[in-house]
Amino acid sequence: MAFTGASPLFKYIRPPVCRRRTRRFIRTRATPLRGSTLPVHPDWNCLALHETSDKQTFLDELRCRNIIADVLPSYDQLNTRLPTFIDSEDPVGIYCGFDPTSRSLHIGNLLPLVTLLRFHMRGLRGIVVIGQSTSLVGDPSGKTIERNYISIQQSVQNTLSIMSNISQIEKNLRDMSLISSDRPSLLILNNNDWHKNITAVQFMTDCFRFLRVGDFLCRDLIKQRLETTGLNLAEFCYTAFQSYDFYHLFKRHCCKIQIGGNDQMPNIMSGRRLIGERSNNDDVFAVTTPLLLASNQKKISKSEDAAIWLNSSETSPFQLYQYLFRLSDIDAENYLKSFSFRPLLEIEDIIVKHKVNPDVRLAQISLAGEVTEYLHGKEGLISALTTTKLLYHTNNPTEILGDLSRDDIYKQFSGIPLLNRSVTDNLTVLELVNSLNCYPNASKCMELINAGGCKLNGRVVKDCALSIKDSDHIILNNDTTLLQLGKRKIFIILWDY
């Protein structure tokens, strides 16, 4: 029997509850990346942002960027070994894994990915593992209930989509000259390529017998789940699958460092243990990044409302740009250090200028422009800027929108809902607004219009009974209309006759 993920049997078996008091295997706290709440380690005396210091190492720079939450076995040990890894004739690998439980990664995954890319640019061999097999097992990290099961077919589709997305991000970075042409490409792997060839008995022999159940049972997450909603055996064994990935990469690709969000530290530690037990080698490291938190102080994930995805088919370049542009000042400054590839001194200069005149939002503009370009390419950035200009920086949107063909509109304004509507003799402004189902009933729509909350092509319209067809400014020459309701609801109406 090949191990292509977790057998359905494992999902219905519950591990026993650990009642005894035992020394914890690992104790970590998820450190957030959220404005002023980001803690600074007391031993990390980062001298402002001065990366030109003779004593500052590459790892020190990452620490100054608020990228590193924890390092095991220790920060100093990795700081000492890293130059040797980088200068090694045989490339030393560093990997980060993502389970394809959706078609796209989201903004919460960006920090580990960017961190991996920084190490790759510096000289290590960057490896991305898309966990098709582990996505079928289900990672319980950060979950209070069992994850929704995805089918094998869906996991395959999601894996291909994410692999393509990461390849495109790397290409965009090369186009921006942020990755030098002499650096090899990222190694993007699917862990099903090795899990599918392992039998259940072989996996237990090669992996399970080197890991300790007591270590699993005494983790806070496992204990909480066992005492509340329960935990199936597949979730309980998830750590073993991820541990085997680290061991496999260590043997095949000389991978000695794993990167993950801070909630992944227990899983990475088990991988280090497996490598140490099987290979008698403890020269491997874990690097974790802070968790990215939403405004409600919860971990940003795909389950959040209005999640920001890295794939343009899920979140358009315009939507990403606006998300970053609307960050608070403290978040924008913090995100600049973490997500921007600019030198730290340049970032410091941007922050100083931003504080002189915060209304200009220089930090937000710098962050949004750079991140949008390396995620969606130059064309994606141009599209985001064009849409932003149309909606927020012109008194007469018809100058831009009215001259575009339908094809250009679909291409440039994919981030705005494009709605087809038929022109009828009696269609009024109230009927148009009500047809969008943005408000509970026609009375609420009427209140909005009467209060001046409805704009057609940039003009405030307060006449609910105004005829769409008979007005000379509502339907543009290319049979389109820009409709704005309130501050955030924006639509482009494509009229059919």
Side-chain angles (χ1 to χ4, degrees):
M1 178 179 66
F3 245 32
T4 56
S7 167
L9 174 64
F10 277 53
K11 293 186 176 291
Y12 303 102
I13 302 177
R14 306 285 165 174
V17 179
C18 177
R19 299 297 184 189
R20 59 188 174 87
R21 294 182 177 270
T22 312
R23 179 179 62 86
R24 297 176 186 225
F25 172 57
I26 179 171
R27 183 185 182 94
T28 60
R29 290 189 180 272
T31 50
L33 183 60
R34 177 70 191 171
S36 59
T37 62
L38 180 67
V40 178
H41 194 285
D43 296 331
W44 291 355
N45 296 316
C46 178
L47 301 177
L49 298 175
H50 301 296
E51 61 182 344
T52 55
S53 170
D54 293 336
K55 296 183 179 180
Q56 190 178 58
T57 65
F58 170 64
L59 208 59
D60 293 335
E61 179 193 339
L62 298 187
R63 185 182 61 191
C64 290
R65 290 180 180 272
N66 296 334
I67 281 177
I68 297 178
D70 204 355
V71 178
L72 289 176
S74 75
Y75 179 90
D76 290 338
Q77 285 179 269
L78 180 58
N79 217 1
T80 301
R81 292 291 289 141
L82 196 56
T84 305
F85 290 166
I86 292 173
D87 295 336
S88 174
E89 292 185 3
D90 297 323
V92 173
I94 178 170
Y95 107 90
C96 185
F98 303 98
D99 282 353
T101 52
S102 295
R103 290 184 57 82
S104 171
L105 300 180
H106 56 83
I107 194 72
N109 301 128
L110 186 57
L111 189 58
L113 179 60
V114 165
T115 305
L116 177 75
L117 286 162
R118 293 185 192 279
F119 278 98
H120 181 70
M121 295 172 184
R122 195 72 175 191
L124 297 184
R125 183 66 190 276
I127 304 170
V128 179
V129 174
I130 309 301
Q132 181 187 331
S133 288
T134 40
S135 69
L136 300 175
V137 178
D139 183 3
S141 301
K143 295 294 181 181
T144 57
I145 60 175
E146 186 175 320
R147 287 180 180 269
N148 293 329
Y149 178 75
I150 65 171
S151 67
I152 294 178
Q153 180 181 7
Q154 188 62 57
S155 71
V156 171
Q157 294 174 352
N158 293 350
T159 296
L160 294 175
S161 176
I162 293 175
M163 292 177 82
S164 174
N165 191 199
I166 293 176
S167 295
Q168 184 61 51
I169 292 172
E170 183 186 8
K171 179 181 181 302
N172 294 339
L173 288 167
R174 291 183 184 276
D175 291 342
M176 296 168 68
S177 299
L178 292 174
I179 299 180
S180 62
S181 57
D182 61 340
R183 291 295 300 138
S185 298
L186 285 174
L187 191 59
I188 304 176
L189 305 174
N190 178 354
N191 69 1
N192 190 57
D193 290 342
W194 52 87
H195 281 293
K196 67 183 180 182
N197 297 320
I198 306 174
T199 65
V201 172
Q202 181 182 353
F203 191 79
M204 290 181 180
T205 302
D206 292 347
C207 182
F208 278 7
R209 70 188 183 92
F210 294 100
L211 302 176
R212 296 293 175 261
V213 173
D215 295 335
F216 290 21
L217 288 173
C218 294
R219 294 176 186 169
D220 289 342
L221 170 68
I222 300 297
K223 290 167 66 176
Q224 290 169 5
R225 286 286 300 274
L226 290 175
E227 294 170 358
T228 54
T229 58
L231 190 77
N232 67 51
L233 189 56
E235 291 177 298
F236 183 75
C237 295
Y238 177 88
T239 293
F241 286 86
Q242 190 180 121
S243 300
Y244 188 83
D245 288 346
F246 198 178
Y247 171 74
H248 173 85
L249 296 174
F250 173 80
K251 296 293 288 183
R252 284 293 189 92
H253 302 285
C254 193
C255 180
K256 296 187 176 183
I257 307 173
Q258 181 179 350
I259 294 175
N262 208 29
D263 59 343
Q264 292 295 312
M265 181 60 87
N267 294 332
I268 303 175
M269 280 295 296
S270 292
R272 291 189 69 251
R273 175 169 188 159
L274 180 61
I275 292 171
E277 292 283 346
R278 292 209 57 183
S279 303
N280 194 28
N281 188 323
D282 60 358
D283 192 27
V284 288
F285 296 85
V287 176
T288 59
T289 60
L291 300 179
L292 201 62
L293 300 185
S295 57
N296 59 6
Q297 297 301 297
K298 292 183 179 180
K299 174 185 172 183
I300 288 181
S301 68
K302 61 183 70 66
S303 59
E304 292 286 325
D305 292 336
I308 302 299
W309 304 94
L310 306 190
N311 193 321
S312 60
S313 64
E314 306 292 336
T315 296
S316 72
F318 167 72
Q319 291 170 317
L320 172 69
Y321 186 93
Q322 287 300 311
Y323 167 79
L324 297 170
F325 180 79
R326 291 170 179 164
L327 289 173
S328 67
D329 289 346
I330 189 66
D331 283 350
E333 294 173 12
N334 203 11
Y335 283 27
L336 257 177
K337 298 175 191 176
S338 301
F339 293 124
S340 173
F341 289 95
R342 290 180 170 92
L344 283 170
L345 289 176
E346 184 179 336
I347 292 174
E348 184 180 19
D349 184 55
I350 291 172
I351 292 174
V352 170
K353 291 178 180 178
H354 173 85
K355 290 180 177 179
V356 172
N357 191 358
D359 289 341
V360 176
R361 303 182 74 79
L362 178 61
Q364 287 90 340
I365 291 172
S366 302
L367 172 70
E370 181 180 355
V371 175
T372 301
E373 184 171 0
Y374 73 64
L375 289 184
H376 299 302
K378 189 173 183 179
E379 288 187 1
L381 176 59
I382 291 173
S383 172
L385 293 175
T386 301
T387 306
T388 299
K389 180 181 179 182
L390 170 70
L391 299 178
Y392 304 113
H393 301 294
T394 179
N395 293 325
N396 185 11
T398 59
E399 295 178 356
I400 298 176
L401 182 61
D403 294 333
L404 297 176
S405 67
R406 286 283 175 98
D407 289 341
D408 289 335
I409 290 173
Y410 281 117
K411 181 178 180 180
Q412 294 191 29
F413 302 116
S414 59
I416 300 176
L418 305 176
L419 306 178
N420 290 91
R421 290 292 185 273
S422 297
V423 180
T424 60
D425 292 337
N426 300 320
L427 182 65
T428 65
V429 171
L430 176 59
E431 290 171 338
L432 172 62
V433 173
N434 193 37
S435 71
L436 303 179
N437 296 320
C438 293
Y439 302 95
N441 50 53
S443 296
K444 292 293 183 181
C445 296
M446 187 179 297
E447 290 178 12
L448 175 80
I449 296 170
N450 290 335
C454 174
K455 287 185 179 181
L456 294 170
N457 298 326
R459 298 185 185 183
V460 176
V461 175
K462 294 186 177 182
D463 185 358
C464 294
L466 181 65
S467 171
I468 297 293
K469 185 177 181 180
D470 294 340
S471 175
D472 59 359
H473 71 274
I474 293 182
I475 300 179
L476 303 179
N477 294 333
N478 58 356
D479 297 328
T480 61
T481 298
L482 176 65
L483 173 61
Q484 295 168 273
L485 303 177
K487 294 182 178 180
R488 298 293 173 88
K489 295 182 176 66
I490 303 167
F491 306 89
I492 291 180
I493 309 299
L494 307 175
W495 297 105
D496 298 320
Y497 289 88

